[in-house]
């Protein structure tokens, strides 16, 4: 079993029409010994009001390893262990871009294209591309 506690706060504020900012901060802890902290920042820009929204973003994440994390090159093999890199210590940086089209006759009420790139201090990097549609 695992008990987790998290706190996440974000605030969206209209700077000038049509640009808003959304800073966020999060904290996480669990009884396996992991602690994490993240900072996020997103910008919302209505390039064409009511039709085209652009959202660039950045996220910094830092976490400690769980109590039973064992690095792959460890000479000791304890009874309880994991080598899952997502449970190890690392920092990550993620940059993203989301483009949303509203009221498109061909693509529905809302069409979104999202792209993220993340790199971690433990050598793992990834790309993500997501497409979303909304029809009513």
């Amino acid at each position: 079993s695992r008990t987790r506690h998290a706190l996440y706060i974000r605030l969206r504020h209209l700077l000038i029409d049509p640009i808003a900012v959304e800073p966020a901060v999060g904290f996480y802890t669990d009884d396996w010994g992991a602690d994490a902290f993240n900072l996020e920042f997103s910008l919302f820009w209505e390039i064409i009001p009511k039709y085209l929204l652009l959202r660039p973003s950045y996220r910094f994440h830092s976490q400690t390893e769980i109590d039973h994390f064992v690095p792959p090159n460890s000479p000791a093999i304890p009874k309880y262990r994991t080598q899952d890199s997502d449970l190890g210590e690392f920092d990550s940086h993620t940059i993203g871009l989301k483009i949303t089209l509203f009221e498109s006759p061909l693509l529905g009420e809302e069409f979104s294209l999202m792209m993220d790139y993340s790199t971690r201090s433990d050598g793992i990097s990834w790309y993500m591309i997501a497409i979303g549609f909304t029809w009513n």
Side-chain angles (χ1 to χ4, degrees):
S1 70
R2 187 176 186 185
T3 302
R4 305 174 188 184
H5 302 283
L7 175 65
Y8 184 79
I9 300 167
R10 71 177 170 191
L11 173 69
R12 190 175 300 169
H13 178 70
L14 183 65
L15 285 179
I16 56 172
D17 199 16
I19 297 175
V21 294
E22 186 177 86
V25 62
F27 303 94
Y28 171 92
T29 188
D30 67 26
D31 62 355
W32 285 11
D35 296 308
F37 167 76
N38 62 285
L39 287 172
E40 296 181 44
F41 184 81
S42 295
L43 181 92
F44 293 79
W45 178 21
E46 263 189 313
I47 296 175
I48 302 172
K50 299 182 182 178
Y51 292 102
L52 180 61
L53 178 69
L54 185 71
R55 190 197 79 196
S57 61
Y58 170 76
R59 180 178 191 251
F60 170 75
H61 176 82
S62 181
Q63 77 178 40
T64 62
E65 65 187 35
I66 67 166
D67 295 335
H68 300 291
F69 181 79
V70 179
N73 57 356
S74 176
I77 301 177
K79 180 178 179 181
Y80 299 107
R81 66 193 176 277
T82 183
Q83 291 181 328
D84 183 344
S85 59
D86 287 341
L87 299 175
E89 182 174 356
F90 68 88
D91 295 333
S92 70
H93 301 273
T94 304
I95 56 172
L97 180 63
K98 182 178 181 182
I99 301 166
T100 304
L101 298 169
F102 299 98
E103 303 298 331
S104 172
L106 297 175
L107 300 174
E109 188 171 318
E110 184 179 311
F111 169 79
S112 295
L113 175 64
M114 187 173 79
M115 299 158 283
D116 281 348
Y117 171 71
S118 185
T119 183
R120 293 181 5 176
S121 60
D122 61 0
I124 296 174
S125 298
W126 55 265
Y127 297 91
M128 180 189 70
I129 298 174
I131 298 173
F133 296 93
T134 302
W135 286 280
N136 282 334

